[in-house]
Amino acid sequence: MSRLVTSATAGSRRVPTRKIGGTAVSAVGLGAMLLSLSGRPDERQAVRTIHAALDAGVTLIDTADAYCIDGPEMGHNERLVAQAVRSWRGDPDAVVIATKGGHYRSRDGAWLVNGRPEYLRRACEASLAALGFDTITLYQHHRPDPAVAYEDSIGALKGLQEEGKVRFIGIGNASVAQIRQAMSIVELASVQNEFSPAFRTSAPEIELCAQKGIAFLAWGPLGGMSAAGTLGERHPAFEQVARSHGVSPQQVCLAWELARAPVVIPIPGSRKPETILDSLGAVELHLDEDELALLDGR
Ligand SMILES: NC(=O)c1ccc[n+]([C@@H]2O[C@H](COP(=O)([O-])OP(=O)(O)OC[C@H]3O[C@@H](n4cnc5c(N)ncnc54)[C@H](OP(=O)(O)O)[C@@H]3O)[C@@H](O)[C@H]2O)c1
């Protein structure tokens, strides 16, 4: 099974790519969430981080309208990412900014969901304005809303696609049954679920995506902000393999995720250039079967 599909140039470097819908993106994307939550860097550092990723060949940035501190700030991360991509010295059209709707933040910062069709339409229109786009390349339904029939939420995205506001449709935090349900309504381009050494329960969803040729965007791929730095201590097999290659356990982790299926695209978060540059090295790290078995715990 080939790990890498093809290769494309965005910034100064060529990075192996994978597909979302028909579009090739770097096999590792940048998760932009931490650039807008509490504990975020100042704007100059945030833009430097995004530019470093793009210069190194990243062509996928994951954002969402709800990546902000509280309700009045909705769209913060989309505006930041769009501005950084526009001010980058390379070609902004070579970069896919993937966003999401369906989560919102209350005035005091709580994470809430709204999957009603009329809300998703308003959210998509607000994302188009925040990004400065006529069409969003990948629009993802962030998380199912238990108060709304799933087919109604997905049907709303279908309507947005028919109107040309959205090119590809993705879903997030979805079960195998929800992926199948979404596939019966739309041509599904991606699924974004949590997957990391500490959280492997999305394995069946990855398997289904691999069978159907749907991109699987692994969120929290290093275990999230509070655990990513100590990944090697938490998961000694990753530390062991990292030592033998002379690389970081985080790089081994992302290479292990890439090796799981050719549809997997990890989107590690970074608040500084060093971490995304290290993470991107995973696209060139080959792990053999024995190493993969060790990391799988087989
Ligand atoms: N769909 C959803 O419901 C959902 C939910 C959560 C997240 N997401 C998406 O997934 C993305 C990633 O998730 P996440 O940011 O929560 O978790 P993560 O990627 O597992 O961890 C992020 C942390 O990893 C550190 N890191 C990154 N690369 C590293 C490296 N090579 N070596 C050492 N440390 C490294 C970063 O450090 P620094 O901060 O110091 O750079 C950051 O604090 C988000 O940005 C967002 O786009 C989606």
Side-chain angles (χ1 to χ4, degrees), residues 79-283:
R79 291 188 292 274
L80 172 72
V81 168
Q83 180 245 317
V85 171
R86 273 196 296 273
S87 66
W88 177 52
R89 65 194 167 97
D91 175 10
D93 293 338
V95 182
V96 172
I97 302 177
T99 194
K100 316 184 191 79
H103 252 308
Y104 68 98
R105 310 298 297 277
S106 68
R107 188 153 275 281
D108 60 1
W111 290 85
L112 302 166
V113 285
N114 188 340
R116 289 201 308 275
E118 61 278 15
Y119 172 79
L120 291 172
R121 164 167 297 279
R122 281 203 311 277
C124 179
E125 283 164 359
S127 288
L128 282 164
L131 292 164
F133 290 165
D134 296 326
T135 303
I136 295 169
T137 304
L138 177 65
Y139 194 63
Q140 304 159 95
H141 182 234
H142 206 145
R143 183 181 292 277
D145 178 350
V148 176
Y150 199 50
E151 62 265 34
D152 291 349
S153 299
I154 304 303
L157 268 60
K158 185 179 183 186
L160 291 165
Q161 187 180 46
E162 284 164 358
E163 289 169 38
K165 293 184 166 142
V166 165
R167 181 163 172 217
F168 299 125
I169 293 174
I171 56 174
N173 301 296
S175 65
V176 161
Q178 286 163 333
I179 297 171
R180 289 194 188 283
Q181 196 178 359
M183 286 173 65
S184 72
I185 301 167
V186 293
E187 192 173 330
L188 192 62
S190 69
V191 172
Q192 183 175 146
N193 279 8
E194 186 173 10
F195 190 76
S196 69
F199 190 95
R200 305 184 186 203
T201 56
S202 283
E205 286 82 25
I206 294 179
E207 204 176 307
L208 178 60
C209 287
Q211 274 169 23
K212 304 291 182 188
I214 297 168
F216 181 93
L217 276 57
W219 72 254
L222 300 171
M225 181 173 65
S226 53
T230 53
L231 191 142
E233 290 155 48
R234 290 165 192 264
H235 304 282
F238 288 77
E239 181 69 36
Q240 184 188 325
V241 174
R243 284 224 177 103
S244 72
H245 285 273
V247 300
S248 68
Q250 291 81 9
Q251 217 177 92
V252 170
C253 172
L254 298 168
W256 167 71
E257 290 162 5
L258 286 166
R260 198 156 189 108
V263 295
V264 174
I265 304 172
I267 47 167
S270 276
R271 288 172 296 181
K272 51 183 178 291
E274 299 89 294
T275 45
I276 184 62
L277 295 180
D278 182 68
S279 293
L280 199 56
V283 299

